Amino acid sequence: MTQISGFERAFEPRSIAIVGVSRSKQPRHFGSSGLSILRALHHSGYQGCLYPINPNATEIDGVRVYSSVLSVPDPLDLVIITVPAVAVPQVLEDCIAAKAMNVHVCSSGFAETGEEECKKLEEKVKEIALRGGLRLLGPNCMGIQVPRARITTFDDVPLVHGPVALLSQSGGHAYRFLQYGSTVGVGFSRVISYGNAAVMDVTDLLEYIDSDPETRVICLYLEGVRNGNLLTSMVKQINLVKPVVVWKAGLTDAGARAAASHTGSLAGNRQIWDAFFKQTGAVRAGSVEEMAEVSAALVSLPPSLGKRTVVISGGGGNNVAAGDICAEEGIQLPPLLAETKNELSEFISTVNQGLTNPLEAPSLFLSPSQMNRAMKLLDADPTVDMVIVSLMMAGITRKGIDVADRMLDCLANIARGKVFHKPLVITLSDPMTAEAVRYWQQIKQAGILWYPSLRQACRAMSRYASYYEFVERAGGCSPADL
Amino acid sequence: MTQISGFERAFEPRSIAIVGVSRSKQPRHFGSSGLSILRALHHSGYQGCLYPINPNATEIDGVRVYSSVLSVPDPLDLVIITVPAVAVPQVLEDCIAAKAMNVHVCSSGFAETGEEECKKLEEKVKEIALRGGLRLLGPNCMGIQVPRARITTFDDVPLVHGPVALLSQSGGHAYRFLQYGSTVGVGFSRVISYGNAAVMDVTDLLEYIDSDPETRVICLYLEGVRNGNLLTSMVKQINLVKPVVVWKAGLTDAGARAAASHTGSLAGNRQIWDAFFKQTGAVRAGSVEEMAEVSAALVSLPPSLGKRTVVISGGGGNNVAAGDICAEEGIQLPPLLAETKNELSEFISTVNQGLTNPLEAPSLFLSPSQMNRAMKLLDADPTVDMVIVSLMMAGITRKGIDVADRMLDCLANIARGKVFHKPLVITLSDPMTAEAVRYWQQIKQAGILWYPSLRQACRAMSRYASYYEFVERAGGCSPADL
C-alpha cells in the first residue's frame, strides 16, 4: 500500500471536500453527483466540516462554496471528486498542493470506456497519485459508507452500524448491499467502492480493513485483481480469523466482456479462481444477496456445530421441496434420534405429520408451548447441529393476528438462546406480498436470523458451516475466540 | 381413466356437497376444513347450490345442513369430503348410492402416514371407488380452483381466470401457485390437487385437461407416478401442442423420504426422469415459482425466435452480473450489429455506457423518447431475438415520481407491441421493499411480462425458448397455430 498511516482518516474524516458540486443533480447519471453526495452527507447527520467546491458558485443549499481545494482554510481528511474526467488531473495536483492525501474519484470516463484517450487519462491520474503519494480510490467509483461516523455518499440508504465490511469494485453493488443487507439483519463497519482500482487495489484495501477492529466479516466484490498471488496469500491468512466472503464476477465470457467495459478489469479464468477458493477457504458467493445472507449468518450465529439439520415445516409439498433443497445445498437431514422422536410423538400427532426430517408439524406453529417443548428436545439431541424453521405466515395469520404475534414472540425468545442454544434460522415460505414484507420486518426487528426462502437459508447455512469446517481443518483460531 | 364423461361436471358443478362441515375451523390443520371450504365457496361468489353435510347440525353460517349426501334432494355434481379418515368409506358408499360420482377426498391419514392400518384404509377407499365407478381425487388433497366457474376450495387466494392449468399432488403447492402465479401475471383454467392419487392418477387427469379448450399450458407437480411409461407417451404427444411444465420433486434421498411421508409416493430415480424430460421435451421446473414464471412467458409471449438476447440495464456492476447470469442460464448475448450500434450511439453517450451487450444505458430509463428509439432499432435488428429490460426503479424514482410513471407508461406501450414486436420482459433489480412491491404491481397491471429478478427472467426465458426449439425440431404444430 502507498501509505496506510493517514488512510484511516478517510473513513473518520473531520473534514470533507466535494469537488464538482453544481446546483442541479446531473440527470444523465444514476450514480453519485456532487450535489447528491453533499445532500447524502447532510441527511446522514455527518458532524464534520463540508466544503463543496465549484469555481462558479458561492453558495449551494445554504453552504458556502469554495473555488478550489486550495482555497479551503482547513486540512482536508477526504476529497471526493465528481468533476468530468478531463478535469480530474488538475484537481489531483491541487490535492497534492493542499496536502489532502485521501481522494475518492467518482468521475467516470477512464479505462472502462475502452477508448485510448480515456485509458491515457487513467494512466495520467495514476502517475500523479503515485508521484504525490495520494491514497486514491477509483476512478469510476461511488464512494463510501461508514455508519458509525455517519458518513455516506449513497443517498437514500439506511445507515446501519455493524461488523460487516464490503470492498466493491461496483458502486451499484455497494448500494444494493447496503439496501438488501439491512433487510436480512446485516450492519456495516465500512462499505468502500473502489471502481477501476487504478491506484488502491483490493489488496491495499484488504490490508487496511483487516486492521479495523470493528470489522468481523469482510466481503469482496471483484471483477479483476492486479496481483492475484498477493490476494490469495492475504485472504488465506485473514480468512482464518475474519471470514472473507468473495463474489468474483465476470467468470463467463459475457460477464468478462461486461467487466472490461465496467471497470476496465481483466476478469481471469474460472480454474484460477476455483484454486483461489480451494486454497484460501474464502466463502464463495454469487450475488450481492448471497454475500449479505452468508454474512448475516457469520456475524449473528455462534460457531457452527456441523451440517446436521432439522427443518420444521408446516406443509406437505413444502416438505418434499425442503428435502430436495437441503440435499442440493449440502445441508444434511439425518433421521431424528429414536428418543427425540418418542418424546416429540407425545404431543405431535402423526396423522399427516410423520416424524421424519423435514419435520412436518403444523400444530407447532399454532402453539408456543409445543414449539418451546420441541425446540428444547432438539437442543438436547446431540445429533442435531442446527434448526431451520420454515414458516408460512399465511397459514398462521388465518388463525388470527394474535396467534401469529404470539408465535413470533415465541420464536424471538427461542432465537435469543433462552430455549435453544444452537444455530437457528427462520425462513418464510409465503409469497412476496406487502403483508409478507411486514412480517419479514417484524421477524428482523425481533433479532431473529431469517431469510426470504428456504433455498437462500440453506445456501447461506451450508456456506457458514463449511467455513467453520475449513477453519477447523486448517487449525486456525475461530472467530468466536476473538 | 375410469369414466371421463361426467368428470367435467366436477369443475363446473351446479351443486356441491361438503361432507364434514363443523361450526369451528379445526385449528389443528393448515389445510382445508369443511367450514373453510364452505366459506371459500361463499366468498368466491359460487352461483350453484351448496349442501353442507353434518349429522349433528341443522344450520351453519345461515345455510341449511343435511345429515348425509343421501338426504340431499338434488343431484350432486361434486362431493368434497373432509371427515376423519375412518369415516370416509361410509361416505363413499353413500355417494355411490346417491349417484354422486365426482368425489374429492381432502381427509388425510392414509398411506402417507406409513402406518399399516392407514395404508389398509386407503386400499379400502380405492376398492369402493373402483367398484362404484367413483371419479375420486385424493385422498389427502386440498381440492380445486376453477376461476371462471367461481369455484375454489382455497380460502384467501384470488380467482384469476386464464389459460394455465395445474395438476398437483400437493395442495400447499397448488395454493402457492395460485398466490404467486397471479403476481407474475398467470391466470388459471383449472388448478387441481390430487394428493395420494389412490384412484385418479396424473395420467387420468392429464387426459381430461388436455381436452379442455381453455387450457393452453399444463403444469404438473409430481411426487410419484404409477404408470411412468403411459405418462411419458402422453406428455410426449400433448407437449407438442400444449406446453407441459413439470416439477418432479423428491429426486434427492431426503426429498424422496419426504415424498413417501407426504403422499405415500415412490419418487423414482433421477436417471429415469432425465430420460423423461429428454424424450418428451417437457419444460423442467424446480419450484412453484419456476412453474409459474415459465408459464407466464409461454402464455403471454409470441412464439420464441431464439435465444439471442439484448439486456438493457442501468448499472455497471449489474451489467457484469447480467453477463454471468445470462451465460449460466443459457441466454445468448451476441454483440450488437455494427449498424444498430452506430444508430444507438447517436443518442446514447459512450462515457461509462459502452455499447456492449448487456447494454449499460441509464439514460434510456430517464427518457421515454430515447427508450422508444432504442427499442425500434432492436426491433429492426435481425440478430436480436428478444429483449430483457433490467430496471432499477430506485434509480428512476430518485429523479421524481413523474419520471418513473412516464417510463412505466412508455414500457407498457412498448410491451403492447406498439413499438417492439418481439418477446420483451422486464425485471426489477431493486431490493424487496414495500415500495418495490408497489412498482411490481404497477408493472403487472400494465400487462407487461415481468420477473422479480434477472436470474428468474433468464431462467424462464431460456426454458420458453428451449420449448420452441424442441417443438420445431420435433416438427410439432406450434401453440401459436391453435
Side-chain angles (χ1 to χ4, degrees), chain B residues 65-81:
Chain B
V65 174
Y66 293 78
S67 61
S68 125
V69 289
L70 288 168
S71 57
V72 173
D74 301 305
L76 288 169
D77 286 343
L78 176 63
V79 177
I80 299 171
I81 300 176

Side-chain angles (χ1 to χ4, degrees), chain A residues 45-56:
Chain A
Y46 171 62
Q47 296 293 311
C49 300
L50 286 173
Y51 301 101
I53 310 286
N54 180 344
N56 306 314

Side-chain angles (χ1 to χ4, degrees), chain B residues 413-435:
Chain B
N413 195 46
I414 290 168
R416 272 184 224 109
K418 301 267 168 74
V419 177
F420 186 76
H421 306 84
K422 300 171 181 175
L424 172 71
V425 176
I426 310 274
T427 78
L428 285 193
S429 58
D430 296 77
M432 172 194 59
T433 60
E435 199 199 12

Side-chain angles (χ1 to χ4, degrees), chain A residues 11-281:
Chain A
F11 306 101
E12 295 176 59
R14 288 156 304 190
S15 56
I16 305 174
I18 305 159
V19 185
V21 179
S22 62
R23 276 190 191 79
S24 67
K25 291 190 179 187
Q26 294 129 31
R28 197 172 53 81
H29 290 294
F30 275 92
S32 308
S33 70
L35 184 63
S36 72
I37 292 174
L38 179 68
R39 288 186 179 161
L41 284 163
H42 273 154
H43 296 159
S44 69
Y46 171 62
Q47 296 293 311
C49 300
L50 286 173
Y51 301 101
I53 310 286
N54 180 344
N56 306 314
T58 52
E59 197 191 286
I60 286 171
D61 278 3
V63 180
R64 184 180 159 187
V65 174
Y66 292 78
S67 61
S68 123
V69 288
L70 288 168
S71 57
V72 173
D74 301 306
L76 289 169
D77 286 342
L78 177 63
V79 177
I80 300 171
I81 300 175
T82 68
V83 295
V86 287
V88 169
Q90 185 53 53
V91 178
L92 295 180
E93 299 286 7
D94 292 351
C95 288
I96 295 169
K99 296 197 171 57
M101 309 310 265
N102 295 319
V103 180
H104 287 210
V105 183
C106 293
S107 321
S108 54
F110 293 90
E112 79 279 4
T113 61
E115 289 171 24
E116 271 320 305
E117 247 174 293
C118 303
K119 284 184 188 171
K120 274 186 197 147
L121 201 55
E122 183 160 317
E123 280 307 310
K124 192 169 175 187
V125 161
K126 197 170 164 177
E127 177 270 313
I128 297 170
L130 292 176
R131 169 168 41 86
L134 298 178
R135 290 173 289 263
L136 185 145
L137 289 173
N140 186 29
C141 66
M142 276 171 74
I144 59 169
Q145 186 181 102
V146 185
R148 203 179 46 73
R150 308 209 66 73
I151 293 171
T152 187
T153 56
F154 300 97
D155 213 356
D156 67 26
V157 279
L159 280 94
V160 184
H161 177 57
V164 177
L166 171 67
L167 307 176
S168 172
Q169 280 197 264
S170 158
H173 287 332
Y175 174 79
R176 187 160 166 83
F177 188 75
L178 289 163
Q179 279 192 302
Y180 182 77
S182 66
T183 71
V184 288
V186 169
F188 311 97
S189 55
R190 275 138 177 72
V191 169
I192 303 172
S193 80
Y194 66 96
N196 294 6
V199 178
M200 301 283 273
D201 199 4
V202 62
T203 44
D204 304 305
L205 294 167
L206 202 50
E207 185 186 334
Y208 162 68
I209 217 80
D210 181 36
S211 70
D212 171 35
E214 286 187 329
T215 299
R216 291 199 292 124
V217 170
I218 302 169
C219 295
L220 308 179
Y221 168 72
L222 301 174
E223 295 187 355
V225 58
R226 269 199 304 279
N227 193 336
N229 289 338
L230 178 58
L231 181 72
T232 304
S233 70
M234 286 181 80
V235 170
K236 202 169 169 179
Q237 208 164 26
I238 295 170
N239 185 55
L240 294 178
V241 184
K242 297 185 182 190
V244 180
V245 178
V246 179
W247 175 19
K248 174 61 187 76
L251 287 178
T252 64
D253 288 348
R257 278 197 304 275
S261 77
H262 177 227
T263 54
S265 297
L266 282 173
N269 83 24
R270 189 176 286 278
Q271 286 70 37
I272 289 171
W273 284 97
D274 285 346
F276 165 84
F277 283 103
K278 208 173 159 191
Q279 279 178 51
T280 60

